[in-house]
């Protein structure tokens, strides 16, 4: 499932990646694709507790990276660091080669390129589905209302909810709310989409509709970092699987290899528990 | 108990009470507006990023909520005239000094209470809302305006209603500064006619009506700001 | 500063022992009396509000609601004139203040107590019923202890308010702390900031004390489930 564009030249970033020493920075990505998200040597503390230890990862354009691991392994924290919802104490994060600038303007410009979908949807309850989707394009990109609503309707159709454009979140099922949340994140036309356990808060019968939308986004070539417990889904959609435990990346592998023969013992334990029921 | 309501038929007395009511209403309105304004400023300091401002705001609310309003009124009124004697500062020689001091002091004190109500409302808005808005690139001002504020209003209105009623209650202390409000007029009539029970019953009724009118107003506002809920 | 020290005795104790007790001592005494009185009133009203008779319930909820909507000064003045007229007994300002404030604060405490009782989860009461406990037993052993714990914050705030607004009595002439401070300031004339600043400080310190006491009680009576490491391991 190779969606990587072969025709792009080597950027200085990719050059650096080629020259980087082996170790935790294991990357099986093709070296001729531009790096969308570069994570280098991140350390993060909540107070005195270290939640991320020297984490490094490169995500290439068009790639889908699934991050999994036991609770408390730091996987959600990691992607929240990418769009700076969590600050880091040391290390470097770059998006398209530009190191993240923590000034107000820098953060906003970062967040217009990185979209995020949350476990608890976080739809604005006082607005309709369409208004939820259209808010950011209107206020951040300065789109006119008519144009933003056009975009909104198109995106809601994309996730299969054109008929619910005028509904408030309170009247939508969990699966529908999450799909609206995906449309809302897509409205800013991001380069990278982050998913923080998108189906963990859903009733079982609604999980599939959301996963189907994510798979179709992947097929369209969207660069994604997904934290999830849905292993079958991960198998289908991932280009690489990243396994984390206790704040460290323990293993990075292609899905077929990871799910059939994981190298690390912790990964084996995790998989056996999660796939047993 | 022999009740004599004759004083109500005397037009001068009625005029006096009406004038007192008018003064009370003005004090009430001005103090309410002032309290909300001060409350917003203090809340902005409390939830802002500047640590020093946050500490100042916290100390401020602690002080104004733990000192009786009477003491605050006397402190400001007598303190002001002592530091700036009206002899040397003609601007303070107005007969309405008590009124002005009342409005300013009540605004400052009730502002502390109002800021607590607003702050609790802000904390009640789920963090995820702010994160989602920020994650789509909205700046803080827009996040507050479009996402936090609309959800804040229904949370804040009930508490605000009760603090505004407290502001009305606070205006009654103005009589100690010589302000000619409803209570002051009532006192004067009592001292002239010795019909304390009747006068005070009438005044009690008026304040009761003012209170419930205020609460009713806020209930109407709450209805109009309600966020759509399932099953409605 | 000197002004305060010179007048300290009067500020704190009023004319005692040459006259009636006054000053801060009277404020504390009045607060204690009203504190107990209002608690009694509050408990009575709260109990009545749970009565099976609709009439009793309605009256015991409407009258306190009306009282709560009034300014304390207005209620105080009203009772100050009304009580002697009804009972034909001449009441001193101190006595009528104590009675009026007890009723006034009691109306608020009744509401706080009702809130505390209602905050006990229905599930606990159902569990009690399911194991065969009688209504009274459920009330005493399940509802009341949890209600007490839940009411502490509201009650603490109410008592702080009560302490601060004993100052209302000064307007009808009771010689408590606010009144003695005012008299001292008016006598000295040139140091109002010091005198009233001192008064504010004293009230502030007392309120902090009440709040701190309430926090300690909350911690002592905290019955929320706590799983400790030891228990979890066993």
């Amino acid at each position: 499932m190779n969606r990587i564009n072969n025709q792009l030249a080597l950027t200085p970033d990719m050059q650096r990646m080629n020259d980087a020493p082996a170790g935790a920075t294991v990357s099986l990505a093709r070296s001729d694709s531009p790096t969308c998200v570069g994570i280098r040597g991140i350390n993060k503390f909540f107070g005195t507790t270290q939640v991320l230890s020297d984490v490094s990862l490169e995500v290439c354009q068009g790639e889908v990276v699934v991050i999994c691991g036991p609770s408390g392994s730091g996987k959600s924290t990691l992607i929240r660091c990418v769009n700076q919802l969590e600050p880091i104490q040391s290390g470097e994060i770059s998006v398209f080669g530009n190191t993240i600038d923590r000034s107000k303007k820098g953060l906003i410009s970062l967040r217009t390129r990185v979209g995020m979908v949350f476990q608890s949807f976080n739809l604005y309850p006082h607005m309709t589905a369409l208004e939820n989707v259209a808010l950011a394009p209107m206020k951040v990109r300065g789109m006119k209302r008519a144009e933003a609503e056009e975009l909104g309707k198109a995106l809601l159709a994309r996730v299969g909810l054109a008929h619910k454009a005028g509904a408030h979140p309170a009247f939508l099922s969990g699966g529908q709310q999450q799909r609206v949340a995906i449309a809302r994140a897509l409205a800013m036309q991001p380069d990278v989409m982050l998913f923080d356990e998108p189906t963990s808060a859903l009733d079982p019968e609604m999980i599939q509709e959301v996963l189907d939308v994510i798979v179709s986004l992947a097929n369209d070539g969207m660069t994604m970092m997904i934290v999830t417990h849905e292993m079958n889904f991960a198998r289908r959609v991932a280009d690489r699987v990243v396994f984390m435990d206790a704040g460290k990346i323990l293993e990075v592998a292609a899905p077929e290899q990871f799910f059939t023969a994981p190298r690390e013992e912790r990964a084996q334990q995790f998989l056996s528990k999660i796939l047993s029921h | 108990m022999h009740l004599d309501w004759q004083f109500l038929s005397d037009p001068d007395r009625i005029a006096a009470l009406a004038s007192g009511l008018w003064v009370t209403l003005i004090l009430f309105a001005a103090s309410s507006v002032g309290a909300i304004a001060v409350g917003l400023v203090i809340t902005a300091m409390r939830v802002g990023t500047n640590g020093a401002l946050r500490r100042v705001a916290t100390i401020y609310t602690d002080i104004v909520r733990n000192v009786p309003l009477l003491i605050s009124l006397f402190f400001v009124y007598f303190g002001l005239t002592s530091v700036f004697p009206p002899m040397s500062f003609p601007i303070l020689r107005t007969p309405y000094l008590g009124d002005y001091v009342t409005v300013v002091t009540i605004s400052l004190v009730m502002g502390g209470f109002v800021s607590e109500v607003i702050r609790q409302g802000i904390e009640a808005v789920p963090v995820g809302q702010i994160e989602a808005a920020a994650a789509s690139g909205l700046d803080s001002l827009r996040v507050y305006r479009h996402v936090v504020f609309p959800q804040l209003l229904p949370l804040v209105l009930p508490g605000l209603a009760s603090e505004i009623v407290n502001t009305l209650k606070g205006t009654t202390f103005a009589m100690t500064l010589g302000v000619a409000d409803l209570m002051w007029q009532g006192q004067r009539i009592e001292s002239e006619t010795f019909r304390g029970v009747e006068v005070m019953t009438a005044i009690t009724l008026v304040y009761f009506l003012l209170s419930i009118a205020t609460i009713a107003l806020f209930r109407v506002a709450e209805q109009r700001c309600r966020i759509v809920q399932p099953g409605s | 500063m000197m002004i305060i020290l010179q007048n300290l005795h009067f500020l704190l104790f009023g004319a005692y022992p040459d006259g009636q007790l006054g000053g801060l001592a009277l404020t504390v005494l009045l607060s204690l009396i009203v504190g107990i009185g209002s608690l009694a009133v509050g408990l009575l009203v709260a109990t009545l509000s749970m009565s099976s008779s609709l009439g009793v319930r309605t009256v015991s909820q409407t009258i306190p609601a009306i009282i709560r909507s009034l300014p304390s000064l207005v209620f105080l003045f009203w009772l100050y004139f009304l009580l002697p007229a009804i009972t034909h007994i001449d009441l001193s300002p101190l006595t009528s203040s104590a009675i009026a404030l007890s009723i006034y604060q009691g109306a608020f405490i009744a509401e706080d107590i009702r809130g505390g009782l209602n905050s006990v989860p229905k599930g606990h009461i159902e569990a009690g019923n399911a194991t065969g406990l009688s209504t009274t037993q459920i009330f005493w052993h399940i509802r009341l202890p949890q209600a007490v714990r839940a009411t502490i914050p509201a009650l603490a705030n109410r008592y702080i308010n009560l302490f601060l607004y004993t100052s209302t009595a000064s307007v009808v002439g009771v010689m408590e702390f606010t009144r003695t401070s005012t008299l001292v300031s008016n006598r000295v004339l040139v140091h109002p900031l010091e005198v009233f600043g001192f008064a504010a400080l004293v009230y502030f310190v007392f309120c902090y004390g009440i709040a701190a006491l309430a926090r300690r009680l909350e911690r002592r009576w905290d019955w929320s489930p706590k799983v400790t490491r030891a228990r979890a391991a066993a």
Side-chain angles (χ1 to χ4, degrees):
Chain A
M1 298 176 94
N2 183 356
R3 288 172 290 278
I4 295 165
N5 187 332
N6 298 338
Q7 282 135 10
L8 294 169
L10 274 179
T11 65
D13 239 56
M14 298 187 298
Q15 197 74 327
R16 220 184 315 158
M17 202 165 72
N18 283 337
D19 301 334
T25 336
V26 176
S27 158
L28 299 181
R30 308 228 345 183
S31 58
D32 51 355
S33 46
T35 306
C36 230
V37 180
I39 298 170
R40 279 176 277 278
I42 298 199
N43 285 289
K44 177 164 175 61
F45 294 80
F46 278 133
T48 49
T49 321
Q50 182 156 19
V51 292
L52 290 175
S53 306
D54 202 35
V55 170
S56 297
L57 183 65
E58 311 267 351
V59 180
C60 304
Q61 185 174 16
E63 200 187 357
V64 176
V65 170
V66 166
I67 306 174
C68 64
S71 302
S73 52
K75 35 191 213 301
S76 287
T77 316
L78 180 61
I79 61 168
R80 285 162 65 90
C81 290
V82 174
N83 72 348
Q84 292 293 300
L85 284 178
E86 304 281 354
I88 51 179
Q89 273 73 46
S90 75
E92 195 186 77
I93 302 184
S94 62
V95 176
F96 274 128
N98 302 317
T99 317
I100 288 179
D101 155 24
R102 291 223 80 199
S103 73
K104 268 204 173 130
K105 275 189 67 183
L107 281 180
I108 292 183
S109 122
L110 165 72
R111 287 166 180 165
T112 55
R113 309 184 74 181
V114 178
M116 181 148 188
V117 174
F118 299 83
Q119 180 176 352
S120 48
F121 336 135
N122 291 337
L123 289 184
Y124 313 130
H126 55 294
M127 297 182 178
T128 63
L130 185 61
E131 287 166 352
N132 261 272
V133 176
L135 179 69
M138 281 199 291
K139 301 297 169 185
V140 183
R141 293 210 195 275
M143 262 193 207
K144 298 258 183 326
R145 176 174 286 276
E147 207 189 324
E149 289 190 350
E150 275 292 309
L151 174 65
K153 288 191 192 140
L155 287 170
L156 285 173
R158 174 92 178 63
V159 301
L161 288 172
H163 58 298
K164 291 283 188 186
H168 283 265
F171 295 100
L172 299 174
S173 74
Q176 291 170 330
Q177 289 187 52
Q178 192 62 301
R179 286 188 277 153
V180 173
I182 295 177
R184 180 177 64 175
L186 289 173
M188 293 298 284
Q189 290 154 330
D191 302 306
V192 184
M193 285 277 278
L194 306 174
F195 292 84
D196 186 0
E197 302 205 35
T199 57
S200 296
L202 295 175
D203 287 338
E205 66 268 16
M206 292 188 265
I207 294 180
Q208 198 53 47
E209 67 195 60
V210 174
L211 295 181
D212 287 341
V213 170
I214 301 180
V215 170
S216 81
L217 285 181
N219 287 335
D220 287 348
M222 173 66 77
T223 314
M224 302 196 270
M225 293 177 71
I226 310 176
V227 173
T228 185
H229 290 299
E230 298 289 326
M231 293 298 125
N232 289 324
F233 160 70
R235 242 177 147 138
R236 273 167 70 197
V237 81
D239 289 317
R240 275 188 293 158
V241 175
V242 172
F243 176 76
M244 286 184 71
D245 188 24
K248 295 193 178 62
I249 292 184
L250 289 190
E251 188 169 342
V252 182
E256 311 85 57
Q257 188 208 315
F258 180 77
F259 287 108
T260 49
R263 286 197 300 259
E264 294 287 327
E265 190 192 321
R266 281 295 288 131
Q268 291 166 13
Q269 283 176 350
F270 175 71
L271 279 180
S272 69
K273 274 194 216 159
I274 228 188
L275 293 174
S276 61
H277 57 85
Chain B
M1 187 172 58
H2 171 69
L3 288 181
D4 173 10
W5 298 90
Q6 266 221 323
F7 72 96
L8 278 182
S9 58
D10 183 344
D12 282 333
R13 297 269 151 76
I14 298 290
L17 284 176
S19 132
L21 178 60
W22 180 241
V23 172
T24 293
L25 286 174
I26 295 189
L27 290 176
F28 179 33
S31 308
S32 301
V33 169
I36 294 179
V38 170
L40 285 170
V41 169
I42 301 289
T43 311
M45 288 166 66
R46 273 302 278 269
V47 300
T49 41
N50 188 328
L53 285 180
R54 253 209 314 271
R55 254 170 286 138
V56 168
T58 314
I59 296 177
Y60 180 85
T61 31
D62 272 347
I63 294 179
V64 299
R65 295 186 330 152
N66 288 309
V67 174
L69 186 59
L70 262 181
I71 297 280
S72 306
L73 282 170
F74 291 151
F75 184 82
V76 174
Y77 185 77
F78 292 114
L80 202 65
T81 50
S82 133
V83 173
F84 302 106
M87 285 303 195
S88 340
F89 290 87
I91 196 175
L92 291 178
R93 256 183 264 159
T94 159
Y96 293 110
L97 184 62
D99 303 56
Y100 297 137
V101 167
T102 302
V103 171
V104 169
T105 311
I106 295 184
S107 299
L108 289 174
V109 170
M110 293 313 297
F113 287 92
V114 168
S115 94
E116 270 304 287
V117 171
I118 301 179
R119 189 183 65 84
Q120 285 173 13
I122 290 183
E123 286 179 5
V125 175
V127 151
Q129 291 290 306
I130 302 180
E131 287 187 345
S136 56
L138 289 158
D139 60 273
S140 322
L141 197 64
R142 293 215 171 85
V143 170
Y144 266 90
R145 217 182 113 203
H146 297 282
V147 174
V148 176
F149 185 71
Q151 299 187 53
L152 188 63
L153 219 48
L155 290 173
V156 147
L157 282 176
L160 195 60
S162 101
E163 294 308 333
I164 294 296
V165 170
N166 286 339
T167 306
L168 174 63
K169 296 182 181 178
T171 63
T172 56
F173 291 114
M175 62 173 278
T176 59
L177 298 182
V179 173
D181 74 332
L182 187 58
M183 279 298 282
W184 187 90
Q185 296 286 6
Q187 262 293 79
R188 218 184 63 166
I189 294 181
E190 189 277 328
S191 64
E192 287 172 6
T193 66
F194 293 102
R195 303 256 65 106
V197 180
E198 294 86 334
V199 178
M200 280 317 300
T201 307
I203 290 183
T204 304
L205 187 64
V206 174
Y207 275 103
F208 171 65
L209 292 173
L210 285 176
S211 271
I212 54 175
T214 309
I215 297 197
L217 212 72
F218 271 90
R219 287 281 156 80
V220 168
E222 276 172 58
Q223 291 286 51
R224 297 187 58 187
C225 292
R226 251 178 0 141
I227 295 178
V228 178
Q229 293 292 340
S232 56
Chain C
M1 252 329 280
M2 283 309 301
I3 305 296
I4 297 174
L5 292 173
Q6 283 165 8
N7 292 286
L8 197 62
H9 183 91
F10 184 65
L11 284 172
L12 295 184
F13 300 105
Y16 191 80
D18 297 325
Q20 259 214 329
L21 183 67
L24 184 60
L26 185 58
T27 293
V28 172
L29 185 64
L30 185 59
S31 303
L32 285 171
I33 296 175
V34 176
I36 297 174
S38 60
L39 191 59
V41 171
L43 283 169
L44 177 66
V45 173
T47 315
L48 288 177
S49 76
M50 295 197 305
S51 142
S52 37
S53 147
L54 181 63
V56 174
R57 266 207 313 272
T58 321
V59 169
S60 66
Q61 287 178 32
T62 328
I63 296 189
I66 296 176
I67 295 179
R68 282 196 304 270
S69 71
L70 297 171
S72 62
L73 188 60
V74 171
F75 189 67
L76 181 54
F77 262 94
W78 188 39
L79 284 196
Y80 181 71
F81 292 110
L82 191 64
L83 287 175
I86 298 182
T87 61
H88 299 291
I89 306 174
D90 229 353
L91 292 171
S92 74
L94 181 58
T95 321
S96 25
S97 301
I99 297 177
L101 288 176
S102 294
I103 299 177
Y104 186 73
Q105 299 288 6
F108 286 92
I109 291 185
E111 196 57 21
D112 293 337
I113 294 179
R114 283 188 56 215
L117 283 171
N118 288 334
S119 76
V120 178
K122 283 226 152 72
H124 293 213
I125 302 178
E126 286 176 358
N129 271 319
T131 47
L133 293 170
S134 77
T135 320
T136 325
Q137 285 174 320
I138 294 178
F139 185 79
W140 269 110
H141 298 287
I142 300 179
R143 251 183 133 188
L144 197 58
Q146 297 195 62
V148 165
R149 166 67 180 76
T151 322
I152 291 181
L155 220 52
N157 275 325
R158 185 43 47 192
Y159 277 123
I160 288 177
N161 184 288
L162 191 155
F163 182 76
L164 291 178
Y165 288 96
T166 52
S167 56
T168 313
S170 73
V171 184
V172 291
V174 174
M175 200 62 71
E176 44 71 73
F177 191 46
T178 301
R179 185 121 176 85
T180 56
S181 305
T182 314
L183 287 174
V184 168
S185 172
N186 289 341
R187 187 165 62 206
V188 172
L189 274 185
V190 291
H191 292 282
L193 290 176
E194 288 90 331
V195 177
F196 289 119
F198 173 69
L201 187 67
V202 171
Y203 276 108
F204 187 80
V205 166
F206 269 84
C207 292
Y208 242 62
I210 300 178
L213 183 67
R215 273 195 294 268
R216 276 186 57 202
L217 282 178
E218 268 183 89
R219 246 173 285 154
R220 258 192 76 191
W221 291 340
D222 187 0
W223 289 305
S224 54
K226 287 182 282 280
V227 180
T228 60
R229 272 250 140 81
R231 260 181 250 161

